[in-house]
Amino acid sequence: MTNEELFQEAKKARLRAYTPYSHFQVGAALLTKEGKVYHGCNIENAAYGPTNCAERTAFFKAVYEGEREFDRIAIAGAPEGQEPEEMCAPCGVCRQVMMEFCQPDSFRIILSDGKGSVADFALRELLPYGFGPANLGK
């Protein structure tokens, strides 16, 4: 699957977002090493703290299904009713979840502005001194 195809999957996922407060919809498409795609969207909550990001939704779905090896994730975000026009990077909490399940030098994070500009980062680039299982000797 190409990065563009994965970004299109993220755009589809954002249409399922539950965003009655921010009205900012985010979708994620997580690709496993075996080629399976898991989708996620942001799900808001009136108490704000329990809100879950699209990236974590995708990871948690995949982990629940038994997946543990991931290749890359594409993320698309924009205000409700609009197409993505700016790159939408993962928050710090989502980067930490990625660190738990992914190899920081090989796992890729794909961002696009929806107009042809694409950024492709290794997790280590977005979380340079991340703490993960390797820090615990695992």
Side-chain angles (χ1 to χ4, degrees):
M1 175 171 281
T2 68
N3 286 348
E4 177 59 30
E5 290 169 331
L6 196 60
F7 181 72
Q8 292 303 319
E9 290 295 312
K11 282 178 60 176
K12 289 181 204 172
R14 71 178 279 272
L15 299 177
R16 293 183 176 248
Y18 176 75
T19 58
Y21 310 106
S22 74
H23 303 285
F24 191 86
Q25 299 174 310
V26 180
L30 175 63
L31 183 67
T32 68
K33 296 260 186 191
E34 297 294 318
K36 187 168 181 181
V37 175
Y38 286 87
H39 299 87
C41 64
N42 56 325
I43 303 167
E44 293 181 347
N45 188 288
Y48 297 113
T51 293
N52 202 56
C53 297
E55 301 90 330
R56 283 182 282 145
T57 300
F59 266 96
F60 296 162
K61 282 173 57 178
V63 169
Y64 173 79
E65 294 294 329
E67 301 288 352
R68 297 293 187 274
E69 295 187 9
F70 303 101
D71 183 61
R72 59 197 140 117
I73 191 168
I75 304 159
E80 189 176 320
Q82 298 179 31
E83 286 294 310
E85 294 182 355
E86 294 184 21
M87 293 184 189
C88 183
C91 75
V93 174
C94 288
R95 294 174 198 201
Q96 183 60 46
V97 168
M98 293 174 196
M99 189 72 184
E100 181 67 25
F101 294 104
C102 305
Q103 297 299 317
D105 293 316
S106 60
F107 182 75
R108 309 303 298 180
I109 299 166
I110 312 303
L111 310 176
S112 177
D113 63 5
K115 300 179 283 189
S117 293
V118 176
D120 180 339
F121 297 99
L123 175 56
R124 186 171 307 284
E125 293 177 275
L126 297 183
L127 191 62
Y129 295 98
F131 185 87
N135 297 99
L136 298 174
K138 298 186 183 230

